[in-house]
Amino acid sequence: MSHFDSVRVVLVNSTHPGNIGGAARAIKNMGLSRLYLVAPKDFPADRAVWRAASAVDVLDNAIVVDSLDEAIAGCGLVVGTSARERRIPWPLLNPRECGERVWREAAHHDVAVVFGREDRGLTNEELQKCNYHVHIPSNPEYSSLNLAAAVQVLCYEVRMASLSAAQSESPLLPDWDMPPARAEDLELYFQHLEQALVDLGFHDRANPRQTMTRLRRLYGRIRLDEMELSILRGVLTSIQNAVHRMQCASQKKPDS
Ligand code: SAH
């Protein structure tokens, strides 16, 4: 299988079928093929077919799912796109770095590049599921590209990275003994972590502040592998068991 087959372009809640068709065309023009549509407003649609031109096969093979979690399941790298700066800074790539990283990691595992809604982009919650964010350095006075145009730019960078791969230096994942943790396992880990922090009395769901956001960002930077994630889950379970034992012991203590 070629690296290209490991790259998913994910469009979240697209409103205009024309943009879906335009994205399909951009994907095929640049040698990619996999399109995931998260709850599109209007699909299948004639306008999508019309805009796709000779990339109708990409539309025909598009995978329609209900949630972003489903679209990124199995991916070892998830990159989210953003037309503007967010409140919490996240590890950022420029489009060139994004193309290189996507291309090189696609040799090892599935990779997703996630695009947002035409009117309001990706939610903070969706962006926090991503290892990196990428912003196309557009005019700050008018920074938002048309959705299909943004897909075009980032797919072009993946193609450019593929063309210069032969000259590229050290691999991004040098001789690692374990595959990276998958998106769905990370999601389970964060749920487990949040529960353990609640059990410990460290975290209050009613007053969450930005604890989980900052922890997600921390782990996203580290790029945990499968084994590390499973060790951390074991640690959480031990902590929860210890808290539980202490609670039971203090309830049983006789009144003196
Ligand atoms: N008003 C929205 C713009 C959404 S544009 C907002 O401010 O977030 C629709 C989608 O196109 C975005 O979610 C993103 O996936 C992509 N996009 C548009 N302009 C972009 C840019 N400059 N850099 C990266 N992605 C961009």
Side-chain angles (χ1 to χ4, degrees):
M1 205 166 85
S2 127
H3 292 24
F4 284 125
D5 298 326
S6 304
V7 181
R8 306 179 192 178
V9 170
V10 179
L11 306 185
V12 178
N13 281 169
S14 309
T15 309
H16 302 296
N19 281 335
I20 297 175
R25 183 174 186 168
I27 288 167
K28 187 165 178 178
N29 279 149
M30 296 299 114
L32 303 175
S33 61
R34 296 175 74 188
L35 175 61
Y36 281 66
L37 302 172
V38 179
K41 292 272 169 354
D42 183 8
F43 185 83
D46 287 346
R47 252 183 316 147
V49 172
W50 185 71
R51 278 281 301 276
S54 293
V56 175
D57 53 325
V58 175
L59 287 185
D60 288 343
N61 294 325
I63 297 180
V64 180
V65 292
D66 292 328
S67 67
L68 177 57
D69 284 329
E70 290 169 80
I72 62 177
C75 289
L77 172 71
V78 182
V79 181
T81 57
S82 173
R84 55 199 157 108
E85 302 296 321
R86 300 279 156 175
R87 198 149 60 96
I88 289 211
W90 211 258
L92 270 182
L93 299 171
N94 65 38
R96 191 132 312 157
E97 292 165 337
C98 175
E100 283 162 8
R101 183 165 280 277
V102 165
W103 178 253
R104 288 153 85 179
E105 292 210 21
H108 305 275
H109 44 251
D110 272 16
V111 168
V113 185
V114 184
F115 295 84
R117 300 155 187 82
E118 287 91 338
D119 56 345
R120 55 195 175 91
L122 293 167
T123 63
N124 282 341
E125 194 192 330
E126 287 160 350
L127 282 165
Q128 286 171 19
K129 293 182 190 290
C130 303
N131 301 107
Y132 294 92
H133 295 168
V134 59
H135 171 69
I136 299 162
S138 41
N139 176 1
E141 314 278 304
Y142 185 43
S143 66
S144 176
L145 275 72
N146 164 263
L147 173 59
V151 172
Q152 180 71 75
V153 170
L154 292 177
C155 291
Y156 168 75
E157 290 294 352
V158 175
R159 180 149 200 92
M160 290 306 285
S162 79
L163 296 176
S164 59
Q167 297 114 302
S168 67
E169 7 57 79
S170 60
L172 287 179
L173 295 173
D175 284 341
W176 208 247
D177 55 343
M178 284 288 152
R182 305 279 146 166
E184 63 273 34
D185 294 331
L186 278 170
E187 209 46 49
L188 287 174
Y189 175 72
F190 288 124
Q191 286 165 21
H192 194 170
L193 177 63
E194 184 172 26
Q195 186 57 53
L197 296 180
V198 169
D199 295 351
L200 268 174
F202 177 83
H203 180 63
D204 179 5
R205 282 203 179 94
N207 181 22
R209 307 230 171 96
Q210 292 197 318
T211 307
M212 291 312 299
T213 300
R214 291 190 181 278
L215 287 171
R216 277 176 179 271
R217 187 174 66 171
L218 167 70
Y219 283 108
R221 280 211 305 281
I222 298 173
R223 307 291 308 283
L224 295 168
D225 69 34
E226 274 176 0
M227 180 61 76
E228 291 161 344
L229 192 70
S230 121
I231 293 170
L232 286 173
R233 297 263 334 231
V235 171
L236 291 182
T237 302
S238 299
I239 291 173
Q240 287 177 305
N241 289 342
V243 169
H244 184 68
R245 278 197 304 275
M246 282 164 65
Q247 283 166 346
C248 289
S250 71
Q251 276 161 14
K252 274 197 215 128
K253 216 182 259 171
D255 294 337
S256 47

